[in-house]
């Protein structure tokens, strides 16, 4: 097991790692829309928050030489399912075919009041 960490994504705010690699799989922790440069949420709504959350995921993967094309599974948590279409528009900017498998669920609340949180599983190689 290998711990993955980068300053280009928000530091863990609890007893967890940004990501863990086990064998040829990398599991990221859920990424909320914190700008690592400021430590604050990005301004705007679901589109801006989705873009920052996925940018944070991308930065973690880049730390071990991976890209979004290595992602095989994503889970998107949203505080409001009515935001799905706008989230999906931004999500599509980060992935190309073959698209990863995905689950998208609405939850009651997310850390720090985020509108969206994204976690991924990526394959090395």
């Amino acid at each position: 097991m290998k711990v993955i960490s980068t300053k280009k994504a928000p530091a863990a705010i609890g007893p967890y790692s940004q990501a863990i690699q086990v064998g040829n799989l990398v599991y990221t922790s859920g990424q909320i829309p914190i700008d690592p440069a400021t430590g604050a949420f990005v301004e705007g709504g679901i589109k801006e928050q989705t873009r920052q959350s996925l940018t944070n995921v991308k930065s973690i993967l880049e730390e071990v030489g991976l890209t979004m094309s290595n992602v095989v599974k994503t889970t998107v948590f949203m505080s409001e399912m009515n935001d799905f279409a706008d989230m999906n528009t931004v999500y599509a900017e980060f992935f190309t075919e073959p698209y990863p498998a995905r689950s998208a669920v609405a939850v009651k609340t997310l850390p720090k009041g985020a509108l969206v949180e994204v976690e991924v599983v990526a394959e090395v190689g």
Side-chain angles (χ1 to χ4, degrees), residues 20-88:
I20 296 288
Q21 181 176 346
V22 178
N24 69 335
L25 295 176
V26 172
Y27 300 85
T28 70
S29 291
Q31 295 299 303
I32 58 176
I34 294 175
D35 179 340
T38 65
F41 273 10
V42 294
E43 299 221 1
I46 188 66
K47 287 183 176 182
E48 293 79 10
Q49 288 199 16
T50 300
R51 186 169 289 109
Q52 185 63 54
S53 295
L54 287 166
T55 298
N56 293 343
V57 167
K58 184 178 176 188
S59 294
I60 292 167
L61 295 177
E62 287 173 347
E63 185 66 20
V64 288
L66 301 179
T67 69
M68 297 301 264
S69 65
N70 293 95
V71 175
V72 296
K73 173 71 167 80
T74 68
T75 305
V76 179
F77 303 95
M78 294 175 291
S79 63
E80 179 60 56
M81 193 53 79
N82 289 335
D83 287 338
F84 182 85
D86 287 338
M87 175 282 297
N88 204 45

Side-chain angles (χ1 to χ4, degrees), residues 96 101 121:
T96 57
V121 178

